[in-house]
Amino acid sequence: MSKRRSAALTGAQGVSLAQKLLRERLCHQKLPDQPVGLDSQYKHMLELLRRTAVHGESNSVLIVGPRGSGKTMLLGCVLRELMSLREVQKNVLLVELNGLLQTDDKIALKEITRQLHLENVVGDKVFGSFAENLAFLLEALKKGDKSSSRPVLFVLDEFDLFAHHKNQTLLYNLLDVSQSAQTPVAVVGLTCRLDVLELLEKRVKSRFSHRQIHLFSSLSFSQYVDVVRAQLSLPPDFPDPKFSDEWNHSVTKLCDDKTVEEILRRNFNGSKDFRSLHSLLFLAVSRVSVSHSTLREADLIEACRLISADSKANVLHGLSILELCLIIAMKHLNDTYDGEPFNFQMVHNEFKKFIQRKSHSIHKFEKPVVMKAFEHLLQLELVRPVDSGVCKVQREYQLMRLMLEHGQVMEALQKYPQCPTDVKQWALSAFG
Amino acid sequence: MSVTLQCPGYPEDTLRSLADRLPCRETQLKSLLSLMGQPDQYSYPSFFIYGHRATGKSHVVLSIMKDLELPHASVDCVECVSSGLLFHQVLSAFFGPDAAALLPRCPSLSDFVRLYKQMSSNSPATQTRYIILDRAERMRDMDFSLLPALLRLQELVNDNVTVILLSEIVWEKFRPNTGCFEPLLFHFPDYSKVELVQILSWDHHPSYTPELYASYINILLGVFFSVCRDLRELRHLAALNFSKFCEPLEKGEAKESDIHKLWKNIEPHLQRAMQTVYLREVSSVQWEQQQMDEKEATTLRVLSAHAHIELPYYSKFLLIAAYLASFNPARTDRRFFLKSHGKIRKTNFLKKHEKTSNHLLGPKPFPLDRLMAIFYSVVDSRVAPTASIFSQISSLVTLQLLSQVGHDDQLDSPKYKCSVSLDFILAISRTVGFDVVKYLYDFL
């Protein structure tokens, strides 16, 4: 009975199952079975960590790559593989630190103690120096196992942030241990900064093994499309084979489509990282519902439109006419004075000239009303004060800069609903 | 409603009532729901929702959360002066006050993530948990690592959690310089004029027909729409001025169909409202009282008319001297303040393009010596440079009528700027019988 039901899911269930699976893949960054296009790095990494785990060799390595290039994914895959070895599994201790969370060395040390389950050992003891504390930690590790010391893997995510700690004490001590002490230690740093070695102090740098693994995407476009197809396809063990066949077929068809290819090409030219691809695919997948249960070309087009929307244009669209006029006045000031900063008084003057000479559609506004509009622009950060000495100058004399491009203003004006003609003409005229 | 809402995993009648309560936001509601997915599915780690003030960002999001009974923690970033308060609110919303009590006194982000992990391993999320951060632009002023960490919180705590940031400001202004996990951007567009009429007509007065109220709203928007699109502000103005609009009806001077007559009655009133109530020159209570008493709207002293300040005699002259020093170029001092200033070529003086430019550019800094020199020349009687004169200068600075420029030397030739307006200085000089305009280079 139950088997028959699982074989033939209703449409709604199929969609929701597929959604669940794909969402987990796209949002939760579920580890893939095998990293794509990173074979050599994967092998290198695995071999290195295996040597630490099995032979007790101390190592240090940096994984460097731009955001979304799969650093964490690579490390996750390597660790998964490593932990599946039986002799490693019960022997290795893993300590994961993140530069965002452990913002100074004291917190980091506490976290290390916690992750090594040593709180009860350290207890209330007060240590003189940081290094003493760390040495004690590693000492305790040694004593913990009778036969030999257990290797420790330190994973430092956002490695560059650790380099900003005072004196780089943690890094110095970790790398020093990896150089001298007997406890086998592997220090793996993940960072997106290419110049990370320049951030290190000389003594820290000299203790680092200078082993770096770079992850730069070398995907060609056809491989990229393959990745898209693989990301979107349902796995063979999907409970409803009929639905998954239909779905996979539609995905293959989709990837061959000309417009879809164009969208993917544009995305590919924008950046090769997987995160931006994931957000695009996520938007497309979230539009799938019971009424249309397969991925269509329109979904991808809509997703692309959402992703590539200019947010400043969206903000400009919602401004009132008065605020728009002020922006045009600022644009004129920028044109005439060659990008020099301006103050409210000048903008108001420019606006007054326009009202007196040209406008029929806009009635005269009092100065405080204009000021209120100007302050709204300031709040939206479309204009920015040049220096932040806020209370020292009167509001109307504070120097400002416009944070918009010439083209953005003109484009916003074209799209503005029911824009008065004389305002448009004023914006187009070169001289105020 | 034209758009039928159907989202699997959520009760349908709740969705319908939700859509009814959120007019003109059906499309946003629908796409938000589809982005959030079914409650047990993973959602994207972070959303960034932006749009103008009063476009219903937090209202829509919070209504979704409340009506569909999703586990959520809503935090206003303005209230969180330290990140500890934020952690406290989030933990107590998800795991009860006991969990929040476990936080140490000055919790770091690490403590928060550790506790969160610990708690969520005890009670793992069956539904997506949402953290809603209102006015997220304040997050940038907090710890540098807070925003990037929250954006990838799902990965850090390994729980089904989604962070929703709400802000008026675009995402480009948030991005830290080393980059971060990019959230999904979602825009709430502004209301068009038609939509504003539709929404504002919702709260019509029970004793009048909805059509009358709609036409009132149309008149109101006719005055205010080019200045203000803030729904909250417009709604407030609509509520304030409606009684005035209905006055002719109550007196029996006009019928409901006499829209033109009603318009003629209300239009100047609304124009006055823009100059007073809209700028908060007159408080709403005062404005209503005024309508009751049927006084002329301008008779009331507005807030900015209180600018007159009573100052000592020498302080007045010091301020006038400071104003002259700030707005006149130093090379013209000889001409204005010296009795025998020698020959001055008129043509040099009145360069066309320089005219009125000083009042555009704002006050210039001047040294103390120049201020004293102008002061002595302006004051008729002989004044000794006593301690009281100098203490008056420094007390003018604390009153923020003057401001000191560059704090490097307090005693040795400090520089000042005058920070009062022309109207203010005109009023002051009138009380001491001094004609400032004659001495201002801009008005020569």
Side-chain angles (χ1 to χ4, degrees):
Chain A
M1 176 72 187
S2 67
K3 213 168 190 181
R4 213 172 61 205
R5 194 183 291 158
S6 76
L9 295 166
T10 60
Q13 279 168 322
V15 169
S16 96
L17 254 176
Q19 280 253 7
K20 189 179 168 112
L21 212 133
L22 289 172
R23 271 168 179 276
E24 198 162 343
R25 189 185 288 165
L26 295 175
C27 310
H28 197 52
Q29 321 284 353
K30 207 178 154 207
L31 287 180
D33 300 330
Q34 195 71 31
V36 187
L38 298 170
D39 293 334
S40 65
Q41 286 99 329
Y42 181 73
K43 259 184 211 142
H44 186 174
M45 200 63 214
L46 184 61
E47 178 57 27
L48 204 72
L49 292 186
R50 207 180 57 80
R51 282 213 301 267
T52 302
V54 178
H55 303 301
E57 193 181 293
S58 285
N59 274 315
S60 51
V61 65
L62 266 180
I63 306 181
V64 184
R67 292 213 177 254
S69 58
K71 302 180 288 292
T72 313
M73 188 266 295
L74 175 72
L75 189 69
C77 288
V78 169
L79 287 178
R80 187 179 55 188
E81 172 90 42
L82 195 70
M83 292 304 178
S84 64
L85 300 174
R86 194 155 2 102
E87 75 260 39
V88 175
Q89 203 171 17
K90 54 179 184 201
N91 197 23
V92 170
L93 290 165
L94 182 66
V95 177
E96 283 175 317
L97 300 176
N98 192 320
L100 288 173
L101 302 182
Q102 282 77 44
T103 42
D104 68 43
D105 283 345
K106 226 172 173 176
I107 301 173
L109 200 62
K110 222 162 114 192
E111 187 66 22
I112 295 173
T113 319
R114 207 181 57 78
Q115 291 198 16
L116 294 175
H117 304 293
L118 287 172
E119 298 110 313
N120 48 354
V121 185
V122 175
D124 296 329
K125 268 182 246 173
V126 183
F127 293 96
S129 73
F130 180 82
E132 227 175 295
N133 200 344
L134 190 70
F136 171 79
L137 284 179
L138 298 164
E139 200 82 17
L141 279 183
K142 259 190 218 171
K143 284 180 189 155
D145 203 321
K146 270 177 285 174
S147 56
S148 70
S149 51
R150 297 172 69 180
V152 188
L153 291 185
F154 283 97
V155 176
L156 305 181
D157 206 348
E158 308 279 352
F159 185 80
D160 47 314
L161 293 181
F162 284 101
H164 291 305
H165 291 186
K166 190 166 173 277
N167 290 340
Q168 306 186 342
T169 322
L170 181 77
L171 288 186
Y172 175 78
N173 282 301
L174 281 182
L175 293 172
D176 195 47
V177 165
S178 82
Q179 290 281 316
S180 58
Q182 296 84 3
T183 323
V185 163
V187 180
V188 183
L190 307 174
T191 181
C192 59
R193 284 185 68 161
L194 290 179
D195 62 342
V196 66
L197 284 185
E198 309 301 314
L199 296 175
L200 298 180
E201 280 175 25
K202 205 173 157 203
R203 58 185 184 132
V204 180
K205 203 164 154 187
S206 72
R207 279 166 175 76
F208 173 60
S209 69
H210 288 263
R211 206 179 272 120
Q212 291 195 32
I213 296 179
H214 289 275
L215 300 185
F216 292 114
S217 172
S218 54
L219 287 178
S220 67
F221 182 65
S222 62
Q223 279 169 315
Y224 189 76
V225 176
D226 287 341
V227 170
V228 172
R229 194 175 300 135
Q231 286 286 341
L232 285 178
S233 319
L234 293 175
D237 58 346
F238 193 74
D240 184 356
K242 187 160 151 272
F243 181 84
S244 79
D245 278 350
E246 244 170 68
W247 175 276
N248 288 346
H249 183 66
S250 78
V251 167
T252 333
K253 220 170 69 185
L254 193 73
C255 288
D256 296 335
D257 191 89
K258 267 281 169 292
T259 39
V260 171
E261 192 185 307
E262 198 176 310
I263 288 171
L264 291 179
R265 170 82 68 181
R266 198 183 318 156
N267 213 45
F268 178 71
N269 289 343
S271 82
K272 287 183 185 177
D273 76 55
F274 292 118
R275 288 264 177 77
S276 68
L277 176 68
H278 281 172
S279 58
L280 178 80
L281 297 181
F282 172 76
L283 280 174
V285 165
S286 74
R287 294 176 59 82
V288 173
S289 66
V290 185
S291 50
H292 61 279
S293 58
T294 51
L295 209 54
R296 292 173 311 181
E297 170 192 328
D299 295 332
L300 223 66
I301 293 172
E302 177 65 20
C304 177
R305 196 185 59 77
L306 278 178
I307 286 232
S308 56
D310 179 8
S311 44
K312 272 198 185 150
N314 282 336
V315 169
L316 283 176
H317 185 272
L319 293 180
S320 66
I321 296 271
L322 177 59
E323 285 151 356
L324 197 70
C325 285
L326 289 184
I327 285 194
I328 294 169
M330 291 174 206
K331 193 207 83 163
H332 281 318
L333 282 174
N334 262 348
D335 288 349
T336 35
Y337 297 113
D338 217 21
E340 285 291 307
F342 49 81
N343 58 29
F344 171 71
Q345 209 74 347
M346 294 153 95
V347 175
H348 186 238
N349 199 37
E350 197 82 4
F351 178 59
K352 241 174 24 193
K353 275 196 275 176
F354 162 65
I355 296 281
Q356 279 163 4
R357 275 191 301 164
K358 294 190 180 133
S359 170
H360 311 291
S361 58
I362 301 174
H363 16 252
K364 214 166 169 317
F365 295 114
E366 300 278 310
K367 195 169 168 187
V369 177
V370 182
M371 187 68 178
K372 191 166 175 171
F374 189 76
E375 278 182 345
H376 188 219
L377 292 179
L378 192 65
Q379 203 171 44
L380 291 172
E381 298 190 12
L382 294 176
V383 287
R384 258 265 166 90
V386 171
D387 54 344
S388 51
V390 189
C391 56
K392 292 193 72 180
V393 206
Q394 291 141 282
R395 286 183 304 175
E396 56 262 49
Y397 291 126
Q398 205 174 15
L399 287 181
M400 304 279 180
R401 253 183 231 286
L402 182 63
M403 294 313 213
L404 291 167
E405 296 275 312
H406 188 276
Q408 277 175 318
V409 178
M410 298 319 279
E411 199 179 330
L413 214 64
Q414 295 305 321
K415 284 187 188 152
Y416 196 81
Q418 291 146 23
C419 183
T421 330
D422 41 5
V423 173
K424 250 185 205 169
Q425 275 169 353
W426 178 43
L428 286 170
S429 68
F431 304 101
Chain B
M1 298 292 140
S2 56
V3 190
T4 50
L5 265 171
Q6 266 195 340
C7 275
Y10 299 108
E12 228 170 273
D13 43 344
T14 326
L15 283 180
R16 203 171 303 123
S17 79
L18 194 60
D20 287 340
R21 282 201 296 116
L22 303 171
C24 311
R25 281 289 171 251
E26 290 89 2
T27 41
Q28 277 74 32
L29 183 61
K30 201 177 168 209
S31 37
L32 254 186
L33 281 174
S34 76
L35 284 181
M36 283 159 50
Q38 294 177 28
D40 58 325
Q41 293 170 349
Y42 272 98
S43 182
Y44 207 74
S46 47
F47 293 112
F48 180 82
I49 300 180
Y50 66 103
H52 279 278
R53 202 186 316 168
T55 45
K57 300 181 292 294
S58 39
H59 181 57
V60 168
V61 172
L62 287 177
S63 307
I64 290 176
M65 296 297 156
K66 284 214 185 84
D67 283 23
L68 300 177
E69 290 169 355
L70 302 172
H72 69 280
S74 95
V75 181
D76 195 332
C77 292
V78 176
E79 290 170 14
C80 296
V81 285
S82 72
S83 48
L85 290 170
L86 194 153
F87 303 149
H88 201 277
Q89 285 193 31
V90 170
L91 284 180
S92 62
F94 286 161
F95 308 109
D98 298 345
L102 289 175
L103 276 174
R105 184 110 65 85
C106 293
S108 65
L109 201 54
S110 173
D111 292 324
F112 169 67
V113 168
R114 178 172 53 83
L115 262 179
Y116 191 107
K117 257 183 183 165
Q118 200 181 320
M119 289 296 159
S120 70
S121 66
N122 292 341
S123 56
T126 48
Q127 294 183 325
T128 312
R129 293 182 172 129
Y130 294 94
I131 299 176
I132 298 151
L133 299 171
D134 208 347
R135 280 179 273 196
E137 58 268 15
R138 295 299 180 103
M139 296 277 290
R140 298 175 298 175
D141 306 333
M142 286 150 89
D143 250 350
F144 79 97
S145 64
L146 189 61
L147 185 63
L150 281 178
L151 288 173
R152 55 192 306 168
L153 192 66
Q154 190 176 97
E155 186 188 323
L156 290 175
V157 301
N158 201 11
D159 183 46
N160 190 356
V161 62
T162 292
V163 177
I164 300 179
L165 304 168
L166 305 172
S167 177
E168 274 182 71
I169 296 170
V170 295
W171 169 246
E172 283 82 348
K173 309 258 176 191
F174 279 76
R175 198 173 285 137
N177 48 10
T178 45
C180 62
F181 186 93
E182 294 285 311
L184 268 190
L185 307 187
F186 191 85
H187 180 231
F188 267 63
D190 49 294
Y191 295 114
S192 69
K193 199 168 181 176
V194 182
E195 284 170 336
L196 277 178
V197 171
Q198 192 190 332
I199 296 168
L200 284 171
S201 311
W202 262 43
D203 36 25
H204 66 84
H205 203 273
S207 50
Y208 298 98
T209 57
E211 290 79 29
L212 182 80
Y213 197 79
S215 62
Y216 164 64
I217 291 297
N218 263 320
I219 294 169
L220 184 90
L221 284 185
V223 175
F224 279 101
F225 189 63
S226 56
V227 179
C228 172
R229 302 209 166 171
D230 190 337
L231 179 65
R232 258 178 293 173
E233 191 108 41
L234 289 171
R235 202 172 189 178
H236 176 63
L237 287 167
L240 271 187
N241 295 309
F242 188 60
S243 64
K244 178 80 181 175
F245 179 74
C246 296
E247 222 167 56
L249 296 176
E250 276 167 17
K251 283 184 188 161
E253 289 167 3
K255 280 179 291 188
E256 286 204 7
S257 53
D258 280 346
I259 295 298
H260 186 71
K261 204 165 185 180
L262 290 172
W263 176 76
K264 256 192 145 167
N265 178 43
I266 194 74
E267 219 264 336
H269 187 73
L270 288 179
Q271 288 287 357
R272 264 200 310 278
M274 172 148 42
Q275 290 153 26
T276 50
V277 175
Y278 175 65
L279 297 169
R280 308 288 186 273
E281 296 276 7
V282 172
S283 75
S284 312
V285 179
Q286 277 176 318
W287 183 254
E288 275 181 334
Q289 206 133 46
Q290 198 177 21
Q291 283 179 353
M292 297 256 248
D293 305 346
E294 305 195 3
K295 270 194 287 180
E296 192 52 36
T298 43
T299 54
L300 213 84
R301 276 195 7 128
V302 295
L303 205 63
S304 63
H306 289 289
H308 180 69
I309 299 178
E310 219 31 78
L311 284 175
Y313 185 71
Y314 286 142
S315 286
K316 283 179 184 170
F317 271 107
L318 280 171
L319 201 59
I320 291 170
Y323 192 84
L324 292 174
S326 256
F327 285 92
N328 279 351
R331 61 186 171 83
T332 61
D333 282 354
R334 235 155 57 97
R335 186 212 179 281
F336 283 126
F337 302 114
L338 233 56
K339 288 228 168 63
S340 53
H341 47 66
K343 246 202 283 180
I344 287 171
R345 269 169 284 159
K346 265 264 164 79
T347 47
N348 234 356
F349 238 82
L350 293 172
K351 273 186 188 158
K352 197 70 182 161
H353 67 273
E354 273 188 6
K355 268 226 154 202
T356 70
S357 65
N358 277 330
H359 274 90
L360 269 189
L361 292 174
K364 301 267 184 303
F366 53 85
L368 180 63
D369 305 345
R370 191 169 161 226
L371 172 70
M372 293 315 288
I374 295 179
F375 173 66
Y376 290 135
S377 140
V378 173
V379 174
D380 297 330
S381 55
R382 286 199 66 79
V383 188
T386 53
S388 97
I389 294 287
F390 288 106
S391 74
Q392 279 184 37
I393 294 177
S394 57
S395 68
L396 283 176
V397 172
T398 50
L399 287 173
Q400 299 192 351
L401 298 172
L402 295 185
S403 61
Q404 200 170 5
V405 186
H407 287 287
D408 40 351
D409 44 357
Q410 291 282 329
L411 291 177
D412 194 28
S413 73
K415 286 193 160 189
Y416 296 99
K417 255 183 191 180
C418 182
S419 47
V420 295
S421 65
L422 180 62
D423 296 330
F424 186 85
I425 216 74
L426 283 176
I428 287 226
S429 57
R430 215 172 296 125
T431 60
V432 292
F434 180 81
D435 190 8
V436 199
V437 179
K438 224 170 72 186
Y439 286 92
L440 275 172
Y441 179 62
D442 280 350
F443 300 105
L444 211 62

